[in-house]
Amino acid sequence: MQYLYSFLIGGAICTVGQLLLSFTRLTSARILAVFVVAGVVLGGLGLYQPLIDFAGAGASVPLLGFGNALAKGAIEGAKYHGVLGAFSGGISATGAGISAAILFGWLAALVFRPKSK
């Protein structure tokens, strides 16, 4: 059942993004920013963790999950290091994921040759 819940929640998040793209004048970059900010707000209020507990990767992998990780890192950093920790905590909490994205993007650029449209 965990796979089904993950698929349904992840699919619902992606459906919301597609609906925003199709029926509003928002660009994909603005939708990306809206999702990250929504994840930060929901994570900061403690409302996103129950969804992650329910749906697993279906909720933690999309951009909302990245925003939630930023919020959790900032809160933990602020607890231990004060105001400066609030700024550095989010970066340290998401640093591994960002580094992996850069590394795998670079590897893909080495393997594939992009062509202009």
Side-chain angles (χ1 to χ4, degrees):
M1 287 305 289
Q2 182 66 34
Y3 293 122
L4 179 65
Y5 295 148
S6 180
F7 177 77
L8 291 175
I9 296 299
I13 292 170
C14 293
T15 301
V16 169
Q18 184 61 48
L19 290 172
L20 288 172
L21 192 60
S22 296
F23 296 115
T24 66
R25 299 182 64 89
L26 294 174
T27 62
S28 57
R30 289 184 178 160
I31 294 170
L32 177 143
V34 165
F35 275 4
V36 171
V37 170
V40 168
V41 170
L42 292 172
L45 295 174
L47 300 174
Y48 201 71
Q49 190 60 43
L51 187 62
I52 291 175
D53 295 339
F54 175 72
S60 64
V61 171
L63 287 170
L64 289 166
F66 178 73
N68 178 55
L70 281 172
K72 283 174 43 177
I75 291 168
E76 287 298 315
K79 284 181 186 177
Y80 295 111
H81 304 291
V83 176
L84 188 58
F87 292 106
S88 63
I91 300 301
S92 64
T94 58
I98 293 170
S99 298
I102 291 170
L103 174 67
F104 291 123
W106 178 72
L107 289 174
L110 289 177
V111 173
F112 300 104
R113 298 286 175 214
K115 296 178 184 174
S116 298
K117 289 184 178 183

